[in-house]
Amino acid sequence: MKIRVGMGFDVHRFAIGRELWLGGIRIAHPIGLLGHSDADVLIHAICDALLGAANARDIGFHFPDSDKKYEGIDSKILLSKTMQIVRDKNFEVSNIDCTICAEHPKLQGYIPEITGKLAEIIGVSEDDISVKATTTEKLGFIGRNEGIATYAVALLYQTGKE
């Protein structure tokens, strides 16, 4: 059986007047993230990890910010489309591991809902999705509450001949 690993990373700065979306869930916070889409930094990192593992380029290649049809798009749609690309290459998800780096808001209470939403979109068990949150101990742009960064790793297995 062929297995492939991919790593994703994304970062967005905070912006007044925007909603905060992480992992397909709206987070109660007075400011959101700036981006061409809904700026769901977690889903974007997951998409890059999945696409990398499938050797299918990256999120910017498939959903460029220069294309008006992706302006303001719900990132759950991007994740669903990414899964179709992965499955078209005869891969399925074994597991995904993610880390959200943010000083604020505190995310522990949201993690079960985020995990459930991601598992639903991807079509796997919640046990196959790990979401963690950490701070940077007030260091750097994250520590100054200027934005959020996320890391994701995806393990895929091949379901048939490519």
Side-chain angles (χ1 to χ4, degrees), residues 23 42 45-46 49 93-100 108 110-119 122 124-133 150-155:
L42 178 56
I46 291 170
V93 172
S94 178
N95 75 298
I96 295 173
D97 183 31
C98 314
T99 302
I100 306 166
Q108 290 303 324
Y110 291 99
I111 287 177
E113 188 178 1
I114 290 170
T115 301
K117 180 58 70 178
L118 292 171
I122 294 166
V124 296
S125 164
E126 289 184 30
D127 195 46
D128 297 327
I129 307 288
S130 170
V131 178
K132 304 173 302 295
T150 58
Y151 298 88
V153 177
L155 184 66

Side-chain angles (χ1 to χ4, degrees), residues 47-109:
C47 286
D48 265 348
L50 291 165
L51 291 166
N55 194 19
R57 311 262 325 234
D58 61 35
I59 191 171
F61 176 80
H62 292 280
F63 316 111
D65 63 8
S66 57
D67 191 331
K68 287 280 194 192
K69 73 181 173 187
Y70 299 117
E71 189 171 349
I73 195 167
D74 182 334
S75 291
K76 294 186 293 290
I77 295 168
L78 301 181
L79 181 54
S80 180
K81 290 177 181 283
T82 296
M83 284 308 303
Q84 189 57 58
I85 293 165
V86 167
R87 289 187 174 115
D88 286 348
K89 293 192 78 163
N90 296 314
F91 284 101
E92 284 294 333
V93 172
S94 178
N95 75 298
I96 295 173
D97 183 31
C98 314
T99 302
I100 306 166
C101 303
E103 290 295 326
H104 294 285
K106 297 302 179 193
L107 299 169
Q108 290 303 324

Side-chain angles (χ1 to χ4, degrees), residues 1 14 17 25-26 32 58 64 74 91 109 122 128 143 156 162:
M1 172 184 4
F14 281 121
I25 301 301
R26 186 164 186 270
D58 61 35
D74 182 334
F91 284 101
I122 294 166
D128 297 327
L156 303 182
E162 226 179 315

